[in-house]
């Protein structure tokens, strides 16, 4: 599975961005996809996931971020609204390959290259 993430950028507090992650090499609808992020000096953390239409979110983004998938375009999206400075990080999309906790990054075996999101105050 190859993953190509895009859509990051610089945005002001309260603004919005939409990240995209195009998957190739495997039937997209069979994949559990996740978004993670990593801020400088911090560990990579779970943001959101989608699996057969079921979504899950970290508490820190619930109500502000929305994950969705397009099986025709083989793409998963992360719509980010009401952005805060704490959302500043490199965002990674990933495909889950192991059974287990959907929020555990160690259960994801394929990763995109990351896209920088910077929220300025």
């Amino acid at each position: 599975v190859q993953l190509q993430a895009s859509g990051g950028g610089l945005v002001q507090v309260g603004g919005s961005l939409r990240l995209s992650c195009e998957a190739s090499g495997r039937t997209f609808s069979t994949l559990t996809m996740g978004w993670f992020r990593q801020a400088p000096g911090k560990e990579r953390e779970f943001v959101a996931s989608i699996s057969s239409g079921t979504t899950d979110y970290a508490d820190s983004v619930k109500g502000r971020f929305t994950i969705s998938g397009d099986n025709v375009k083989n793409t998963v999206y992360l719509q980010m609204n009401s952005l805060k400075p704490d959302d500043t990080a490199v965002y990674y999309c990933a495909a889950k390959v192991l059974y287990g906790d959907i929020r555990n990054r160690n259960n994801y075996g394929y990763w995109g290259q990351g896209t920088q999101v910077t929220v300025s105050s």
Side-chain angles (χ1 to χ4, degrees):
V1 178
Q2 292 80 44
L3 303 175
Q4 181 71 37
S6 62
L10 175 64
V11 65
Q12 291 186 334
V13 170
S16 298
L17 281 174
R18 189 177 80 157
L19 306 183
S20 300
C21 177
E22 183 175 0
S24 60
R26 184 169 167 178
T27 303
F28 179 75
S29 60
T30 68
L31 294 172
T32 292
M33 299 295 296
W35 285 98
F36 291 76
R37 67 187 181 186
Q38 188 167 17
K42 295 187 177 181
E43 291 190 352
R44 193 170 299 187
E45 65 176 4
F46 171 81
V47 175
S49 65
I50 185 166
S51 178
S52 300
T54 299
T55 59
D56 189 26
Y57 298 93
D59 288 345
S60 59
V61 306
K62 198 172 294 183
R64 300 187 297 122
F65 291 10
T66 302
I67 188 171
S68 61
D70 185 327
N71 290 339
V72 175
K73 296 183 177 180
N74 286 346
T75 300
V76 62
Y77 303 98
L78 185 68
Q79 177 67 44
M80 306 185 295
N81 299 328
S82 302
L83 283 162
K84 306 174 181 180
D86 284 351
D87 295 318
T88 296
V90 177
Y91 283 71
Y92 299 88
C93 62
K96 190 171 181 286
V97 297
L98 298 176
Y99 292 108
D101 185 2
I102 204 166
R103 298 185 175 201
N104 186 339
R105 65 180 185 270
N106 294 318
N107 291 328
Y108 290 75
Y110 300 98
W111 293 84
Q113 82 284 11
T115 184
Q116 177 70 47
V117 172
T118 303
V119 184
S120 65
S121 56

